[in-house]
Amino acid sequence: KEDGRGCWRFFEPEMDEQAQQRRRLEMDLRRALAEAPEEFVLHYQPAVEIAGGRVTGFEALLRWQHPERGLVAPQEFIGLAEEIGAIEALGELVLRRACAEAARWPDQRLRLAVNLSALQFRREHLTALIHAVLEESGLDPRRLELEITEGVLLNQTAQTMATLRGLRDAGVRIAMDDFGTGYSSLSYLRSFPFDRVKIDRAFVRDLASRPCDATIVRAVTTICAGLGMATTAEGVETEEQLRLLAALDCNEAQGFLFGRPVPAAQIPQTLARLAALAG
Ligand code: C2E
Ligand code: MG
Ligand code: MG
Ligand code: MG
């Protein structure tokens, strides 16, 4: 406590620097959203059926092509967008862009997965927005899968559940993302009939060396199969992980083994490469 003052003085410039950087990023984010939405780009990562290797769809992952910073990862600005109330505009841009692009993909059976922030559920307008975006893009609602995290269900309001149910009635699929890393995950599985559960990368990473992770993945795929939910393993990087996931009856895999997220223009190439691999 005695040298508290000294410590504060020592850290002050650094904290100031951090706060300033955040303010700069915040102003930049507002500028880009208002004046240069083309700086936000979507990259797409394939999901593959483990049995047979067929590509079933792509997940849209947001990046910010910043004029000075280069390509900024979502983790660096989505949290900020949520804090400053910009996530709704950003999320709307993502939905519009993703659906319009997916309507032009070479294969019109491919699924389009889009990530939603929990905050996008705060307003009733989400259902209307999704209907409007589907209408203007002409995308078949059954091709759209919305990925939500436990955060959406954390304060499970009647409105949230009604929104999810309404979307599902319209044919849109709902996936639970990053499964297993939050709180009381199991209870969420009975709160809503998800179409898919995405098993977090944390359980896939050390699958080969940690038998306990294999046990957990097996439990999840068994529960999901019993509930009629498909499973996708996230962050699959090696053939060995893929073999183990197949043995654990996981349905689909996504990860660098099949491809990193790529711009929309590279989707045909990705499909050709993976088709050749699947033989
Ligand atoms: P997520 O939805 O769980 O997406 C998976 C993340 O894992 C992506 O990171 C992806 O590039 C990365 N990944 C995929 N395969 C591998 C692999 O084999 N190894 C490793 N190490 N990583 C892999 P990314 O693109 O940086 O996105 C991070 C998170 O940001 C996403 O996690 C999602 O929660 C969020 N996000 C991305 N786009 C959007 C968006 O449009 N809206 C919202 N609300 N969130 C988004
Ligand atoms: Mg996701
Ligand atoms: Mg995930
Ligand atoms: Mg994740």
Side-chain angles (χ1 to χ4, degrees), residues 141-278:
R142 287 165 303 181
R143 290 181 59 202
L144 179 62
E145 189 163 273
L146 301 173
E147 298 192 3
I148 66 169
T149 53
E150 290 176 352
V152 171
L153 300 173
L154 208 58
N155 321 295
Q156 232 177 88
T157 62
Q159 190 194 305
T160 300
M161 299 318 281
T163 300
L164 286 174
R165 247 180 267 118
L167 289 169
R168 214 160 169 273
D169 290 344
V172 174
R173 320 276 164 109
I174 311 288
M176 162 113 295
D177 203 354
D178 302 338
F179 186 73
T181 53
Y183 311 95
S184 63
S185 303
L186 284 183
S187 74
Y188 293 122
L189 290 185
R190 62 170 195 199
S191 66
F192 189 76
F194 295 99
D195 296 281
R196 176 180 310 281
V197 167
K198 299 188 77 174
I199 301 169
D200 196 82
R201 189 162 68 88
F203 300 99
V204 175
R205 198 184 309 129
D206 307 316
L207 208 50
S209 56
R210 290 176 41 132
C212 117
D213 286 351
T215 305
I216 292 170
V217 171
R218 160 62 73 193
V220 174
T221 62
T222 304
I223 292 169
C224 290
L227 294 172
M229 301 175 187
T231 45
T232 298
E234 301 191 272
V236 181
E237 297 181 351
T238 69
E239 292 283 356
E240 187 174 26
Q241 289 168 338
L242 184 65
R243 258 195 315 277
L244 290 164
L245 288 162
L248 295 166
D249 293 327
C250 189
N251 303 121
E252 294 191 10
Q254 206 180 330
F256 296 166
L257 178 63
F258 301 103
R260 290 179 182 259
V262 294
Q266 282 173 44
I267 284 181
Q269 260 162 275
T270 303
L271 286 170
R273 180 174 57 78
L274 291 171
L277 262 183

Side-chain angles (χ1 to χ4, degrees), residues 63-123:
R63 276 97 182 86
W64 181 8
Q65 186 64 64
H66 190 280
E68 289 128 39
R69 295 169 203 255
L71 204 61
V72 186
Q75 246 110 13
E76 289 180 54
F77 63 91
I78 286 189
L80 182 63
E82 289 176 336
E83 280 172 47
I84 66 172
I87 193 65
E88 290 188 32
L90 195 57
E92 183 167 336
L93 183 153
V94 167
L95 274 165
R96 284 230 149 78
R97 190 86 57 81
C99 291
E101 288 181 344
R104 295 193 299 265
W105 287 352
D107 183 339
Q108 289 295 307
R109 289 163 304 180
L110 291 169
R111 180 173 76 227
L112 164 70
V114 176
N115 293 282
L116 290 185
S117 154
L119 298 188
Q120 290 179 265
F121 280 81
R122 273 201 317 207
R123 298 217 188 126

